[in-house]
Amino acid sequence: MSERTQYMGQRVELRQQRQRVALDCEALRDRLRLALPLAEEVSAIDREVVVNAAMALHERLGELQGIDRKLAILNRELGD
C-alpha cells in the first residue's frame, strides 16, 4: 500500500473520530446549559454536575483540537 493511500485511510478514520468527539462536546455543552438554568436561584446550581461536565468538556475539546491538528497535517501531506 502506498503512503498516500495510507494517509487517506488515516484521514477517513480521523474524520469519523472527529465527528464522534464533536457530538460528545455538543452533548456536554447541553448538559452544562441544563445545569445552569436561568430561571433558578444561583443557590440551586448543582456544583458537582457543573464541575464534572466542564472538566469532561475541557478534556474532549482538547482531544478535538488534537484531531484537528492531525487532520491539518494529513491534508497538507495529501495536498488538500
Side-chain angles (χ1 to χ4, degrees):
M1 181 172 7
S2 75
E3 189 174 78
R4 180 171 176 78
T5 305
Q6 194 174 17
Y7 285 166
M8 290 172 70
Q10 288 176 359
R11 185 171 63 179
V12 167
E13 290 174 12
L14 281 172
R15 284 178 176 167
Q16 291 170 348
Q17 184 181 1
R18 186 191 191 289
Q19 207 170 21
R20 287 189 301 272
V21 173
L23 284 173
D24 286 349
C25 288
E26 290 175 14
L28 288 164
R29 177 198 59 201
D30 293 344
R31 186 185 314 167
L32 273 170
R33 284 181 175 167
L34 288 173
L36 298 168
L38 295 175
E40 295 288 327
E41 292 292 324
V42 173
S43 61
I45 294 173
D46 187 339
R47 292 178 292 177
E48 280 206 34
V49 170
V50 172
V51 168
N52 289 337
M55 287 174 47
L57 180 59
H58 181 267
E59 288 175 19
R60 296 303 273 178
L61 286 171
E63 187 177 343
L64 189 63
Q65 187 177 31
I67 292 169
D68 286 341
R69 278 194 300 267
K70 289 176 185 177
L71 280 169
I73 292 168
L74 285 172
N75 286 334
R76 186 181 66 232
E77 291 297 318
L78 291 168
D80 293 344

